[in-house]
Amino acid sequence: MKENLPTYNIGIDIGSTTLKVCVMNHENKIIFSDYQRHNANIKDAGYSIATKLYCALGDCNLNLVMTGSVGMGYAEKFDLGFVQEVVAATETIHHLYSDVHTFIDMGGEDSKMIFFEQGKIPDIRMNGSCAGGTGAFIDQTASLLGVSTGELNSLAARSTTIYPIASRCGVFSKTDIQNLMARNVSTADIAASVFNAVAMQVVASLARGMDIIPKVFLCGGPFAFLPELKKHFIRILNINESDCLLPQNAQLIPAIGCAILANTHSKRPIQLLQLIYALKFDKGGTPADYTHRLDRLFASRQEYDQWLENKKCFHVPKAKIDTTTPSDYYLGVDSGSTTTKIVLLNQKGEVVYTDYQRNYGDSFKTFSKAMYAMHESVMEPQNINIAASCVTGYGENLLKTAFNLDFGIVETMAHFSAAKEVSPSVSFVLDIGGQDMKAIFIENGSIRRIEINEACSSGCGSFIETFANMLGYSVAEFAHLSCLAKHPCDLGTRCTVFMNSKVKQAMREGALVEDIAAGFSYSVIKNCLFKVLKLKNTSELGPNIVVQGGTFKNHSVVRALEKMTGHEVSFADIPELMGAYGAALYAMRNQNNKHIL
């Protein structure tokens, strides 16, 4: 603290996805505020806001109080004032909105409802472990539709019909949304149906028999930035527009409460320039911060590069298609629940063409477009002949019948055939896709046992994709960061929803994004081996492990499996296409039998 500088009160709310700041003068008037997604890099987000504050107010002393699911850890670490979110929010209501009877707050990963009654202690309700009814649920469904949350709001404004969508964990709600997409329901109606589902989930799970009495106060980022969401709450609650209050700073309510409480709850004033210096130059990360961490996936960039070079021996043979000489080719199709994959082989078994497309709920239309694209791209009808074709996967029966394909085989056989091309003495095949997992145990060249996941998605690709998107990264960026992490977090073996608490704890302890990313790679493998397969000893997998599926394009997941089994793991350079590759191999080897079936 420096004397002769003006003193202000500052409230800081650090949630799982955002950082909110509110600065007040001695009259409790807001003189500065900001709201940023921190993408798990809280120090950089804090530095950005602090420099903005300096530009706006100059150097000053700050009475500081923090709140939020991540803010607690930072308050403890640096011995700063802290209050719970509901306490901060309640303080804001008492001071600024005394006519409010019901408070509804929606954040990135939690939602809260507070009932105010004269002469009684406020009745506080919070969501439990379910992510339904939160901003994260909206983010996930927007991602599935291929739009931003802002675009989702604009679409919802044009809706004419509401369809039922279960506001469950984002992984399982995808089924409901994909069914609507398959029925050609308009994106506008799906968007509005998502908002409707969120409103119903919040009201049903938090009210639990209590009457919601106006005025109703709405706050939190989703309400602040998605106006259509408010309309659905008004309709579900059966209240008038005048009965509902959505303030201008709805996303800042807990931060405002902290600023109001700063006079009494701040432990000591902090000079702004000293805070900026600490955020810019403090290295952080004491040995105590690195307890409960896992081994590095790669000791250095050089080790990673050498590892990649060694894996080239497992690459699938490829060639350019020859359009000058008449020749036979063999088509393999993997029609999954979310994607369609195509592989075309020449007579030597070399891959000459591939395609990978999302289904968006319609595998028939997607395959039709893929075949048209293949004809446009590489096929001269007078020289190229598809001598045999084979399909596997979720849409096997549909595509085989509709397009008169020659063969259909079960997915496990397609993946087993492809794995033998990578490692002829394969002992175990693990295929991990976006929402499913298959494990094939092999003995003496034959399949001995098959395991698949049931309801849990925690060992699947969507598990990593969900958190990468939540932290503001693409899956590819997340994968690259994790490969070079120095102190991977031990996130345990938990489902997607419960993992949130582990991530928040790591963030409170100051974990870097790359350490969290690497922790997810370990967690995917741990979930697979010990939750799904229920292995007692990794020796059951044998010495020759082959991995497949889009998840294994993430090299950190492959390396985590190697670390946990002690065996080298083989994978092709087209892991996401191995089901289609196996189907194409089946078509090539059985072309003379196609008229017998």
Side-chain angles (χ1 to χ4, degrees):
M1 175 181 175
K2 186 176 181 180
E3 295 182 2
N4 302 322
L5 288 177
T7 299
Y8 304 113
N9 295 335
I10 182 170
I12 300 177
D13 178 9
I14 311 178
S16 56
T17 58
T18 56
L19 174 61
K20 288 82 69 177
V21 171
C22 175
V23 179
M24 288 183 166
N25 61 18
H26 66 280
E27 297 175 344
N28 279 346
K29 291 184 178 180
I30 297 174
I31 57 175
F32 176 87
S33 65
D34 202 355
Y35 174 103
Q36 286 190 20
R37 282 186 175 267
H38 55 62
N39 298 330
N41 197 336
I42 293 166
K43 193 172 79 167
D44 282 359
Y47 175 75
S48 171
I49 293 177
T51 53
K52 288 182 183 179
L53 177 58
Y54 181 82
C55 292
L57 302 178
D59 197 14
C60 56
N61 295 321
L62 300 169
N63 294 318
L64 188 151
V65 172
M66 305 185 79
T67 191
S69 56
V70 178
M72 179 189 294
Y74 280 86
E76 291 174 351
K77 185 174 182 178
F78 298 105
D79 191 31
L80 300 171
F82 177 84
V83 297
Q84 293 288 344
E85 287 178 78
V86 289
V87 174
T90 300
E91 193 70 18
T92 303
I93 298 299
H94 281 326
H95 276 76
L96 304 178
Y97 306 100
S98 57
D99 58 341
V100 167
H101 287 274
T102 307
F103 171 93
I104 301 175
D105 174 31
M106 185 185 300
E109 294 179 14
D110 55 21
S111 53
K112 296 176 280 291
M113 192 175 289
I114 305 175
F115 299 92
F116 297 96
E117 190 172 343
Q118 190 70 31
K120 292 185 178 181
I121 297 174
D123 185 349
I124 300 169
R125 313 282 179 88
M126 296 184 67
N127 70 323
S129 59
C130 180
T134 67
F137 176 81
I138 296 173
D139 286 345
Q140 290 168 16
T141 51
S143 177
L144 180 62
L145 293 172
V147 299
S148 68
T149 52
E151 290 169 331
L152 193 74
N153 184 80
S154 299
L155 287 166
R158 303 196 297 268
S159 169
T160 58
T161 306
I162 299 296
Y163 294 87
I165 292 178
S167 178
R168 298 166 290 181
C169 167
V171 172
F172 297 116
S173 68
K174 289 180 180 179
T175 303
D176 297 334
I177 296 171
Q178 286 167 345
N179 285 339
L180 293 176
M181 294 165 68
R183 290 161 50 191
N184 291 321
V185 171
S186 74
T187 310
D189 286 344
I190 295 176
S193 300
V194 168
F195 287 160
N196 179 75
V198 168
M200 292 185 66
Q201 172 75 5
V202 170
V203 173
S205 63
L206 298 183
R208 298 196 298 272
M210 286 287 290
D211 292 329
I212 297 179
I213 302 172
K215 279 189 173 182
V216 177
F217 185 94
L218 303 177
C219 72
F223 285 123
F225 302 117
L226 304 172
E228 288 300 310
L229 186 61
K230 174 187 173 183
K231 295 179 182 179
H232 286 275
F233 269 83
I234 289 173
R235 184 175 56 80
I236 295 295
L237 295 174
N238 194 27
I239 59 178
N240 298 320
E241 176 82 24
S242 59
D243 294 327
C244 188
L245 177 61
L246 179 62
Q248 182 179 359
N249 295 312
Q251 73 277 21
L252 300 174
I253 297 304
I256 293 172
C258 286
I260 293 172
L261 291 167
N263 276 327
T264 55
H265 287 68
S266 175
K267 292 191 174 183
R268 64 188 183 281
I270 297 174
Q271 186 181 345
L272 178 57
L273 273 179
Q274 290 180 345
L275 177 63
I276 291 173
Y277 185 89
L279 289 168
K280 181 66 175 178
F281 297 107
D282 180 32
K283 299 296 182 183
T286 65
D289 294 324
Y290 301 132
T291 56
H292 306 296
R293 298 295 177 97
L294 302 170
D295 291 341
R296 293 183 67 168
L297 294 170
F298 296 98
S300 64
R301 178 76 206 199
Q302 291 73 22
E303 184 185 22
Y304 177 41
D305 291 340
Q306 185 59 53
W307 182 84
L308 285 177
E309 184 66 27
N310 294 340
K311 297 299 181 183
K312 287 184 178 179
C313 64
F314 303 116
H315 286 188
V316 170
K318 300 181 184 66
K320 290 186 177 180
I321 200 162
D322 183 4
T323 59
T324 61
T325 306
S327 185
D328 289 341
Y329 290 85
Y330 309 96
L331 177 68
V333 183
D334 182 1
S335 177
S337 58
T338 59
T339 57
T340 295
K341 287 80 70 175
I342 287 176
V343 168
L344 192 66
L345 301 180
N346 63 18
Q347 290 179 311
K348 295 180 181 179
E350 298 168 321
V351 175
V352 296
Y353 180 83
T354 66
D355 192 15
Y356 180 102
Q357 296 192 26
R358 286 190 175 272
N359 287 341
Y360 296 107
D362 193 338
S363 55
F364 179 93
K365 182 178 179 180
T366 303
F367 179 67
S368 298
K369 289 172 61 179
M371 289 300 294
Y372 178 80
M374 185 173 72
H375 276 268
E376 287 286 297
S377 176
V378 300
M379 297 191 72
E380 295 287 341
Q382 65 271 25
N383 289 333
I384 295 177
N385 174 54
I386 296 181
S389 56
C390 179
V391 59
T392 189
Y394 173 84
E396 174 196 334
N397 291 332
L398 171 64
L399 298 190
K400 183 176 183 296
T401 302
F403 293 92
N404 197 28
L405 302 180
D406 298 310
F407 304 105
I409 59 172
V410 296
E411 290 179 81
T412 49
M413 291 306 300
H415 287 286
F416 179 37
S417 297
K420 286 194 293 185
E421 293 297 309
V422 173
S423 177
S425 56
V426 57
S427 59
F428 176 74
V429 181
L430 179 61
D431 173 62
I432 301 181
Q435 298 183 53
D436 58 9
M437 177 197 310
K438 293 175 284 291
I440 308 171
F441 295 80
I442 299 154
E443 189 174 314
N444 298 323
S446 299
I447 296 176
R448 174 174 60 87
R449 170 181 151 210
I450 298 171
E451 297 282 352
I452 60 173
N453 68 319
E454 295 177 355
C456 182
S457 68
S458 56
C460 301
S462 58
F463 178 70
I464 292 180
E465 183 180 15
T466 295
F467 281 95
N469 293 340
M470 183 191 82
L471 296 176
Y473 293 88
S474 68
V475 177
E477 291 169 332
F478 214 55
H480 179 73
L481 286 170
S482 59
C483 285
L484 302 179
K486 294 181 179 179
H487 304 283
C489 299
D490 187 355
L491 300 177
T493 55
R494 312 188 78 189
C495 82
T496 303
V497 172
F498 293 120
M499 188 64 74
N500 289 342
S501 61
K502 281 283 191 178
V503 174
K504 290 176 186 176
Q505 180 62 34
M507 291 163 66
R508 284 196 292 266
E509 293 171 357
L512 301 177
V513 177
E514 51 263 40
D515 294 331
I516 294 173
F520 279 121
S521 298
Y522 270 111
S523 187
V524 163
I525 298 303
K526 285 183 177 182
N527 277 316
C528 172
L529 298 183
F530 305 121
K531 281 185 66 180
V532 178
L533 300 181
K534 297 179 174 60
L535 293 182
K536 293 181 174 60
N537 194 315
T538 56
S539 63
E540 295 179 53
L541 307 182
N544 299 308
I545 300 170
V546 176
V547 294
Q548 304 173 359
T551 298
F552 288 108
K553 293 187 73 174
N554 183 337
H555 295 152
S556 64
V557 179
V558 181
R559 183 61 171 168
L561 180 57
E562 290 185 333
K563 286 279 191 179
M564 297 196 65
T565 61
H567 292 294
E568 182 178 359
V569 172
S570 306
F571 65 96
D573 53 334
I574 51 169
E576 73 281 16
L577 300 172
M578 294 302 276
Y581 179 52
L585 290 170
Y586 186 92
M588 182 177 71
R589 293 165 182 167
N590 292 273
Q591 58 180 308
N592 295 328
N593 300 325
K594 66 180 182 178
H595 299 299
I596 298 175
L597 299 180

